[in-house]
Amino acid sequence: MAIEVRIPTILRTYTGGEKAVDGTGATLTALIDDLEANHPGIKERLVETKNDKLELRRFVNIYVNDEDVRFIGSLEATLNDGDQVVVLPAVAGG
Amino acid sequence: MLTIDQATYDAIVAHARRDHPVEACGVVAGPEGSDRPERLVEMVNAAGSPTFYEFDSTELLALYRRMWDADEEPVVVYHSHTATEAYPSVTDIGLAGEPAAHYVLVSTREHGNNDGPVEFRSYSIIDGVVTEEEVAVVPELPPIDAPSDSS
């Protein structure tokens, strides 16, 4: 089962410069663990532990088939073979 | 150095003035690797705040999809400061996610919605390091295949 994950410029240091990598997982959490296994260090840039709970970082957006995962269960969002996942850092500031 | 055409410069300034006292934000896209800011995209500040800006997440994806389809990248990422100088805030530096982009800051603190000079400054922000760069405003960007001014 392969899920294509689009990697933003700023995280391509973890993927050897690749713009997109394949991963597997039935949920977003599982996919991120799979990415971490192949691209160590990337997980820490996507999630953080808050109150003993793993959460998507506030200024990281992840989309599954163009849907913002915050609207479909966040890290518990379910994934299927052939899904397309996009990671984009928020464009934000003060 | 950021080289930007007068019309795009003026449009960014006009956007900042129009949205004052809320921070205005947007990008100028250009062909990947070209360093040419060609296509201005004004974005909505989803935070609607005088001290913070954030692109709406759905619009952010649409923006990037369109750039990917056109082999473009964000050459300029701009936003305004409405009460402080045109220098990146700690938050701006911490959240800067496009190491290849020119981060443009416009300050409307002097004249708000009205005409008058504005600060328009550009920076690279890479791994938390801010470097100010010169801004060259030109009547038009030079033709891609003719870098000299032979015209």
Side-chain angles (χ1 to χ4, degrees):
Chain A
M1 170 164 134
I3 296 162
E4 190 200 29
V5 184
R6 179 120 199 167
I7 305 293
T9 309
I10 195 153
L11 296 182
R12 288 180 198 157
T13 48
Y14 300 100
T15 61
E18 290 294 323
K19 288 183 179 181
V21 297
D22 281 342
T24 63
T27 64
L28 184 55
T29 301
L31 175 69
I32 289 172
D33 284 336
D34 181 66
L35 290 178
E36 175 69 14
N38 293 305
H39 312 285
I42 200 167
K43 179 176 179 175
E44 209 263 326
R45 302 292 298 272
L46 304 177
V47 298
E48 62 187 333
T49 304
K50 265 192 180 168
N51 303 323
D52 292 333
K53 198 166 167 282
L54 205 61
E55 287 184 8
L56 186 59
R57 286 188 178 274
R58 162 72 178 87
F59 293 106
V60 172
N61 295 309
I62 300 183
Y63 308 84
V64 176
N65 302 331
D66 287 1
E67 189 108 33
D68 186 334
V69 296
R70 289 194 171 85
F71 302 124
I72 53 170
S74 208
L75 292 176
E76 282 87 54
T78 55
L79 299 173
N80 294 294
D81 197 11
D83 280 350
Q84 204 196 31
V85 173
V86 172
V87 179
L88 276 180
V91 178
Chain B
M1 182 171 81
L2 169 64
T3 302
I4 189 167
D5 67 280
Q6 186 74 53
T8 304
Y9 175 98
D10 290 346
I12 291 172
V13 170
H15 184 201
R17 283 200 179 115
R18 193 167 69 241
D19 283 10
H20 180 93
V22 166
E23 290 193 6
C25 56
V27 305
V28 189
E32 257 179 54
S34 71
D35 204 31
R36 293 168 62 88
E38 294 185 348
R39 186 170 67 84
L40 175 72
V41 187
E42 292 185 5
M43 298 295 287
V44 170
N45 178 359
S49 162
T51 57
F52 194 74
Y53 80 97
E54 181 170 13
F55 293 6
D56 171 78
S57 78
T58 303
E59 292 180 11
L60 174 73
L61 179 64
L63 168 72
Y64 272 80
R65 280 221 175 279
R66 184 156 172 209
M67 289 194 290
W68 294 332
D69 288 348
D71 293 320
E72 289 179 329
E73 63 187 355
V75 177
V76 168
V77 179
Y78 73 88
H79 77 283
S80 62
H81 283 174
T82 58
T84 56
E85 72 171 320
Y87 191 85
S89 65
V90 173
T91 315
D92 293 333
I93 297 163
L95 294 178
E98 289 290 352
H102 302 274
Y103 279 88
V104 164
L105 272 290
V106 173
S107 176
T108 54
R109 66 176 167 170
E110 292 282 342
H111 299 282
N113 302 113
N114 304 313
D115 286 346
V118 294
E119 271 186 279
F120 185 109
R121 295 164 68 182
S122 182
Y123 308 85
S124 72
I125 308 177
I126 300 169
D127 292 334
V129 178
V130 177
T131 309
E132 184 158 13
E133 58 187 5
E134 192 185 328
V135 177
V137 183
V138 296
E140 281 179 26
L141 291 178
I144 291 169
D145 294 317
S148 71
D149 58 354
S150 57
S151 63

